[in-house]
């Protein structure tokens, strides 16, 4: 099979010729810039600065030579703007705090405070308050909460709809170029169009907005799912209406060059529990997911991709009812997320995109042999009858030993050779 045929077979719950692999296709399946550099060195690839394409999590662009070396079957199409509101263009060099020279977008503008923390700015505008902070000695940014005191009498749902607008012609032009280019590589294409992540707390703080209004504190947002539900319904309804109109225009320009649509990065699970009840999910979130997923399934061949970390086994039936085809990252270390049980209960209705190896303990802190054993075990469980795309549990982090990453790649090959 070609890479694309392999992924499509897995998505259709058919047995592919081997387990398909994704690293770097989405902002939740990526590799930290430092690990990308280490992998390029390990495989003896041309030495050059890694491109930083997702600055919040400091994810590196994976070039074709590294994709080939790692056996990657997926190509990503990313939004026009980064999470800090500037475009991935006009590349320049920048040296990170750990000494690595990177290529960063031209509007990646930072300053340093008295503690040595790195501050980054929405749209690269250093005349407004920073929206992200990388503490000294750290390897990624945190959003800075810029939530003014809330006046209940003046809360306006339109303030939380500021970022949801009709898609710009320049964004459509970007997709019209990027989607065919991605499809030409022969890999399956996953595209993140934006605007469909209802309540995604990575986006709630508005790191891309110069002066965000509305409810922008993550804690306050979660509280609002209980105390201001009518407000959130108004936000979600407005967002959904705009998203559906945008999807129609997007569909016309990307045509058949996309296989998977990244819909939502909203996390519903913690390590041991969840952020809300199943009842809250079905009442507050599900109608809007059903509208988006239903629209896509009626008009395209795209499969729909749902990201949620944590203990989300109790939501799986609801994810299916909401119309999602794919769940990622499959955090098997969280409570109730046993791989065999997940595959047995939901494996004929959900594609597990991830779960291949734990990124909290095994990959960063285990031995290569421990990594190998876990990869083989997870592939054995998840790959039966298709419905599995190999990826780690979320992004590969900084300081992960390159020997462990390579052990993971070699274990996939070992399994596929059986």
């Amino acid at each position: 099979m070609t890479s694309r045929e392999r992924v499509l077979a897995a998505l259709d719950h058919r047995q592919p010729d081997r387990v398909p692999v994704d690293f770097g296709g989405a902002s939740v399946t990526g590799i930290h810039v430092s690990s990308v550099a280490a992998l390029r060195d390990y495989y003896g690839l041309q030495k050059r600065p890694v491109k930083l394409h997702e600055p919040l999590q400091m994810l590196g662009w994976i070039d074709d030579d590294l994709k080939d070396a790692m056996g990657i079957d997926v190509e990503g199409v990313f939004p026009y703007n980064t999470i800090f509101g500037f475009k991935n263009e006009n590349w320049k060099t920048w040296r990170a705090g750990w000494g690595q020279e990177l290529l960063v977008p031209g509007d990646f503008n930072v300053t340093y405070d008295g503690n040595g923390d790195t501050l980054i700015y929405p749209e690269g505008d250093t005349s407004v308050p920073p929206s992200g902070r990388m503490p000294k000695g750290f390897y990624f940014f945190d959003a800075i909460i810029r939530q003014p005191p809330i006046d209940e009498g003046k809360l306006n749902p339109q303030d939380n709809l500021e970022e949801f607008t009709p898609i710009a012609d320049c964004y459509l032009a970007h997709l019209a170029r990027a989607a065919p280019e991605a499809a030409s590589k022969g890999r399956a294409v996953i595209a993140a169009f934006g605007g469909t992540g209802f309540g995604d707390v990575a986006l709630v703080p508005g790191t891309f907005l110069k002066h965000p209004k509305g409810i922008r504190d993550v804690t306050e947002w979660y509280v609002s799912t209980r105390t201001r539900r009518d407000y959130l319904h108004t936000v979600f309804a407005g967002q959904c209406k705009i998203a559906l109109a945008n999807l129609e225009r997007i569909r016309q320009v990307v045509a058949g060059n996309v296989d998977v649509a990244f819909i939502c990065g909203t996390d519903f699970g913690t390590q041991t529990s969840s952020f809300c009840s199943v009842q809250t999910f079905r009442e507050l979130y599900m109608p809007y997911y059903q509208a988006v997923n239903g629209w896509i399934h009626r008009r395209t061949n795209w499969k729909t991709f749902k990201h949620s970390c944590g203990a989300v086994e109790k939501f799986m039936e609801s994810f299916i009812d909401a119309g999602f085809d794919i769940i990622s990252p499959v955090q098997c270390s969280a409570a109730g997320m046993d791989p065999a049980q997940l595959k047995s209960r939901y494996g004929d209705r959900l594609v597990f995109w991830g779960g291949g190896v734990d990124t909290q303990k095994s990959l960063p802190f285990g031995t290569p042999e421990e990594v190998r054993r876990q990869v083989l075990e997870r592939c054995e469980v998840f790959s039966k009858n298709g419905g599995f795309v190999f990826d780690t549990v979320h992004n590969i982090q900084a300081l992960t030993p390159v020997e462990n990453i390579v052990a993971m790649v070699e274990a996939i090959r070992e399994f596929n050779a059986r």
Side-chain angles (χ1 to χ4, degrees), residues 83-394:
I83 199 167
F84 290 108
F86 48 78
K87 299 175 180 62
N88 276 327
E89 61 183 20
N90 301 323
W91 300 91
K92 62 185 182 183
T93 58
W94 176 72
R95 190 168 297 278
W98 55 91
Q100 183 181 1
E101 185 178 76
L102 300 169
L103 286 177
V104 299
D107 287 328
F108 177 100
N109 296 323
V110 298
T111 62
Y112 303 91
D113 68 9
N115 296 322
D117 297 351
T118 305
L119 304 174
I120 194 168
Y121 295 82
E123 299 182 30
D125 187 349
T126 57
S127 71
V128 301
S131 58
R133 177 189 302 274
M134 185 189 300
K136 182 179 180 181
F138 281 59
Y139 291 82
F140 53 84
F141 286 95
D142 293 319
I144 295 176
I145 302 300
R146 296 165 292 159
Q147 170 73 74
I150 289 179
D151 183 339
E152 294 289 344
K154 294 182 179 179
L155 272 179
N156 183 352
Q158 292 302 314
D159 290 339
N160 277 102
L161 282 167
E162 177 184 358
E163 57 263 45
F164 302 109
T165 60
I167 191 167
D169 289 342
C170 57
Y171 191 178
L172 287 172
H174 159 73
L175 292 174
R177 293 189 301 269
E181 180 181 353
S184 71
K185 304 292 183 67
R187 304 182 182 100
V189 176
I190 179 171
F193 302 126
T196 55
F198 300 100
D200 186 342
V201 294
L203 306 176
V204 164
T207 53
F208 37 82
L209 298 172
K210 294 183 180 182
H211 301 286
K213 301 183 293 292
I215 301 170
R216 298 294 176 174
D217 178 84
V218 171
T219 301
E220 195 66 49
W221 181 266
Y222 276 125
V223 169
S224 298
T225 64
R226 180 74 176 179
T227 63
R228 302 185 184 97
R229 193 165 293 185
D230 288 345
Y231 180 100
L232 265 60
H233 268 301
T234 302
V235 173
F236 289 171
Q239 179 184 348
C240 187
K241 182 179 179 180
I242 295 166
L244 293 178
N246 287 343
L247 283 170
E248 176 57 38
R249 298 187 68 195
I250 290 167
R251 179 179 68 89
Q252 294 174 19
V253 302
V254 303
N257 292 307
V258 169
D259 302 301
V260 177
F262 184 107
I263 302 300
C264 170
T266 306
D267 287 324
F268 289 96
T270 70
Q271 190 73 34
T272 58
S273 185
S274 61
F275 286 113
C276 70
S277 66
V278 172
Q279 180 181 354
T280 293
F281 176 88
R282 297 184 75 89
E283 194 278 324
L284 178 58
Y285 296 91
M286 195 161 85
Y288 309 104
Y289 291 142
Q290 286 178 325
V292 170
N293 291 332
W295 188 97
I296 288 173
H297 290 142
R298 288 191 300 272
R299 291 169 174 82
T300 77
N301 293 321
W302 308 339
K303 301 296 185 180
T304 57
F305 184 109
K306 170 81 183 85
H307 167 86
S308 179
C309 294
V312 293
E313 189 277 334
K314 70 179 183 180
F315 294 106
M316 292 294 185
E317 289 289 351
S318 296
F319 292 159
I320 294 167
D321 290 345
F324 289 109
D325 301 300
I326 299 162
I327 184 67
S328 169
V330 199
Q331 190 176 342
C332 301
S333 61
M337 296 289 286
D338 176 73
Q341 290 186 2
L342 291 173
K343 183 68 175 182
S344 174
R345 293 172 183 171
Y346 313 108
D348 59 339
R349 294 172 292 161
L350 277 175
V351 173
F352 297 111
W353 193 301
V357 66
D358 173 56
T359 47
Q360 288 179 308
K361 295 180 181 178
S362 302
L363 194 63
F365 303 118
T367 65
E369 178 56 28
E370 288 169 341
V371 169
R372 171 184 172 273
R373 286 200 302 268
Q374 187 172 103
V375 169
L376 294 175
E377 290 168 1
R378 297 284 175 81
C379 287
E380 185 69 36
V381 170
F382 281 128
S383 69
K384 293 177 182 177
N385 302 313
F388 179 52
V389 175
F390 187 97
D391 185 42
T392 53
V393 178
H394 218 302

